[in-house]
């Protein structure tokens, strides 16, 4: 997927772009709303290609907001509203949708606001499937105002930090589950690491991260051997360990943990020279989530190695240049006592490394002792 998200002013986006046609049809007031935002100098995250705009994301924090639904009123509190989240159909299958959701949820994670929401008409099935995949829950239906131009329900979808769904890593994204018993390390040679995770080496600024990470997608595939992940399973957190191959430089000062993720799938392709899935299925599973071309995927599939496994992971976050945790520091803190494949971290160990990377653990692994919350319908 070529291109990247950019922060753009409303005034720099043309309402004549065909991208906005469906929004004009759904919301008669859209043009007036857009013009007011342009006059106010508001900005949005925009992704474009040679044909024009293909993704538009606008966020706003509403203070002390009350939300009226058909059957009840949600009490006043500060909320982040996704004012606009639209994807162009021609980008379907290009992971642009999860990139847009990544921007939204990373922004929310950095805020002090517990709740984020958006409204969506019930006929937007693909968008609903996407936001439900990332843990948004339908809280109810909004009342119709004025003279509706379409006869469909407008639904409210909400995600709350006090009620995260840890049933799978996508639903709790960008947060890590506090319930894990063992985490590990995935060692990746620098020349593969920097292709798979190009934004991990950026300076630690939100804007750079959102632009690059979202544009490259937040679900990744790593192809390797079973011993690279050891006894870890789906749902296990992992640190991404960049193995330096630069000659003349002590690896202990260059090899480092750059980022953290959660395993979502482990697919055994080949076991003791016996293929368990065919080449077409293997390529389909890898899709566009790897760094490899179709020809490279085929070459890897046909190699003589006895075992081949594909690990899918969701990319939760990174430390950023200047904050990566080098091998020497890990050794000094008794956090790298064996080969990477054999390392197992407890929650305390994992949290310590997160702190060594300059991150606030409580904003990545939320303490479940916080008051639980849910909507009562």
């Amino acid at each position: 997927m070529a291109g990247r998200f950019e922060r753009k002013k409303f005034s720099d986006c043309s309402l004549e772009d065909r991208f906005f046609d469906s929004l004009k049809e759904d919301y008669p007031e859209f043009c007036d709303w857009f013009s007011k935002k342009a006059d106010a100098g508001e900005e949005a995250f925009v992704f474009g290609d040679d044909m024009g705009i293909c993704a538009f994301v606008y966020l706003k924090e509403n203070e002390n907001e009350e939300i009226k639904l058909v059957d009840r009123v949600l009490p006043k509190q500060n909320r982040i509203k996704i004012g606009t989240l639209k994807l162009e159909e021609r980008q379907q299958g290009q992971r642009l949708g999860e990139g847009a959701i990544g921007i939204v949820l990373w922004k929310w994670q950095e805020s002090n606001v517990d709740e984020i929401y958006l409204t969506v008409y019930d006929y937007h099935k693909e968008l609903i499937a996407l936001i439900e995949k990332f843990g948004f829950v339908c809280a109810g239906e909004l009342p119709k105002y004025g003279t509706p131009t379409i006869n469909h329900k407008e639904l409210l979808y909400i995600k709350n930090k006090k009620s995260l769904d840890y049933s799978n890593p996508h639903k709790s994204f960008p947060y890590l589950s506090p319930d894990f018993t063992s985490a590990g390390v995935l060692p990746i040679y620098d020349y593969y690491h920097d292709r798979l995770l190009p934004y991990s080496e950026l300076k630690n600024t939100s804007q750079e991260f959102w632009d690059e990470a979202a544009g490259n997608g937040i679900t990744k595939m790593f192809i390797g051997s079973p011993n690279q992940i050891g006894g870890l399973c789906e749902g296990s957190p992992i640190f991404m360990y960049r193995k330096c191959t630069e000659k003349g430089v002590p690896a202990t000062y260059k090899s480092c943990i750059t980022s953290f993720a959660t395993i979502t799938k482990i697919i055994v392709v080949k076991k003791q020279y016996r293929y368990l899935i065919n080449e077409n299925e293997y390529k389909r599973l890898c899709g566009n989530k790897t760094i490899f071309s179709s020809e490279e995927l085929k070459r890897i599939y046909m190699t003589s190695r006895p075992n081949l496994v594909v690990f899918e992971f969701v990319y939760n976050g990174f430390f950023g240049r200047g904050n990566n945790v080098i091998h020497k520091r890990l050794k000094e803190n008794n956090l790298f006592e064996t080969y990477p494949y054999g390392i197992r971290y407890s929650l305390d160990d994992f949290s310590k490394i997160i702190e060594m990377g300059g991150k606030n653990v409580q904003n990545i692994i939320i303490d479940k002792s916080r008051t639980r919350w849910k909507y009562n319908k």
Side-chain angles (χ1 to χ4, degrees):
M1 179 174 60
R4 58 185 288 175
F5 278 96
E6 295 181 283
R7 192 189 291 270
K8 281 191 171 185
K9 291 184 177 295
F10 275 67
S11 56
D12 292 333
C13 301
S14 173
L15 265 177
E16 300 306 310
D17 192 306
R18 291 179 59 188
F19 173 85
F20 294 112
D21 287 352
S22 63
L23 289 170
K24 296 174 185 176
E25 293 172 4
D26 285 355
Y27 302 98
E29 71 282 5
F30 179 78
C31 290
D32 289 340
W33 173 86
F34 192 97
S35 296
K36 289 178 182 178
K37 297 298 178 185
D39 292 342
E42 296 262 21
E43 295 180 329
F45 292 97
V46 181
F47 191 101
D49 61 16
D50 293 339
M51 298 175 65
I53 297 174
C54 46
F56 191 93
V57 182
Y58 170 67
L59 301 175
K60 179 183 179 182
E61 182 173 342
N62 291 335
E63 297 183 358
N64 203 27
E65 180 186 31
E66 178 182 84
I67 300 179
K68 295 181 180 180
L69 298 175
V70 168
D71 58 349
R72 68 194 189 286
V73 176
L74 302 186
K76 291 182 178 181
Q77 68 178 76
N78 292 355
R79 296 180 171 94
I80 289 180
K81 179 180 181 180
I82 308 172
T84 306
L85 172 59
K86 184 182 184 302
L87 310 170
E88 184 57 66
E89 290 184 4
R90 66 177 177 273
Q91 285 289 346
Q92 289 178 8
Q94 298 301 311
R95 294 190 297 141
L96 185 59
E98 70 165 34
I101 290 293
I103 284 180
V104 163
L105 295 179
W106 277 315
K107 175 69 174 175
W108 172 58
Q109 183 182 37
E110 289 191 350
S111 75
N112 293 319
V113 178
D114 281 336
E115 197 164 280
I116 184 169
Y117 76 95
L118 76 162
T119 67
V120 57
Y121 282 111
D122 59 359
Y123 70 91
H124 290 301
K125 302 298 184 183
E126 292 185 1
L127 178 56
I128 288 174
L130 176 66
I131 60 178
E132 287 182 343
K133 175 182 177 180
F134 281 90
F136 283 83
V137 176
C138 183
E141 179 184 350
L142 277 76
K144 293 181 171 62
Y145 296 102
T147 305
T149 57
I150 55 176
N151 188 27
H152 287 278
K153 295 179 181 179
E154 187 175 12
L155 306 176
L156 178 75
Y157 273 84
I158 287 181
K159 187 168 181 173
N160 192 293
K161 293 177 184 178
K162 294 180 180 178
S163 186
L164 293 172
D165 183 348
Y166 293 110
S167 61
N168 71 58
H170 282 101
K171 286 188 179 295
S172 61
F173 178 88
Y175 296 96
L176 296 170
S177 171
D179 293 329
F180 72 86
T181 56
S182 182
V185 172
L186 180 62
I188 310 176
Y189 286 115
D190 46 15
Y191 45 85
Y192 288 133
H193 173 281
D194 297 347
R195 289 174 64 191
L196 185 65
L197 310 169
Y199 31 88
S200 288
E201 289 299 298
L202 293 171
K203 293 180 181 178
N204 196 13
T205 65
S206 298
Q207 181 59 50
E208 287 178 310
F209 183 32
W210 293 334
D211 288 354
E212 294 291 337
N216 284 280
I218 58 176
T219 303
K220 302 285 188 178
M221 289 286 198
F222 178 82
I223 303 172
S225 59
N227 66 346
Q228 286 181 282
I229 213 68
L232 296 177
C233 59
E234 294 177 4
S236 295
I238 51 172
F239 282 118
M240 319 306 286
Y241 182 70
R242 183 181 186 271
K243 294 184 67 175
C244 179
T245 60
E246 185 180 348
K247 293 183 179 180
V249 179
T252 192
Y253 293 100
K254 284 288 188 176
S255 294
C256 56
I257 288 176
T258 65
S259 41
F260 44 97
T262 310
I263 300 172
T264 50
K265 289 181 184 177
I266 301 176
I267 305 158
V268 180
V269 178
K270 189 179 182 182
K271 186 175 183 180
Q272 292 300 309
Y273 295 102
R274 184 169 67 91
Y275 289 102
L276 301 184
I277 61 176
N278 63 40
E279 182 183 341
N280 289 336
E281 178 64 8
Y282 154 78
K283 287 183 176 180
R284 187 192 67 79
L285 288 168
C286 291
N288 56 5
K289 300 173 185 176
T290 74
I291 59 175
F292 301 113
S293 65
S294 179
E295 292 73 20
E296 289 174 312
L297 286 173
K298 180 176 182 178
R299 177 182 56 78
I300 295 170
Y301 182 83
M302 299 301 293
T303 58
S304 60
R305 68 177 69 183
N307 301 293
L308 185 65
V309 176
V310 175
F311 309 109
E312 181 191 80
F313 60 89
V314 60
Y315 196 75
N316 295 92
F318 81 118
F319 296 137
R321 184 180 299 164
N323 290 310
N324 292 332
V325 186
I326 62 173
H327 176 264
K328 184 175 184 295
R329 288 188 68 198
L330 294 166
K331 285 284 289 183
E332 290 172 347
N333 286 273
N334 302 314
L335 293 167
F336 213 101
E337 296 299 287
T338 185
Y339 292 108
Y341 307 145
I343 292 175
R344 293 294 174 268
Y345 292 129
S346 65
L347 176 58
D348 287 343
D349 292 335
F350 197 92
S351 298
K352 185 174 182 178
I353 296 173
I354 291 289
E355 290 177 342
M356 290 167 67
K359 296 289 186 180
N360 180 353
V361 175
Q362 285 299 316
N363 201 33
I364 293 171
I365 306 173
I366 294 179
D367 186 350
K368 287 183 70 175
S369 64
R370 290 176 60 179
T371 303
R372 301 294 287 172
W373 173 97
K374 66 179 180 179
Y375 283 113
N376 294 310
K377 289 192 175 183

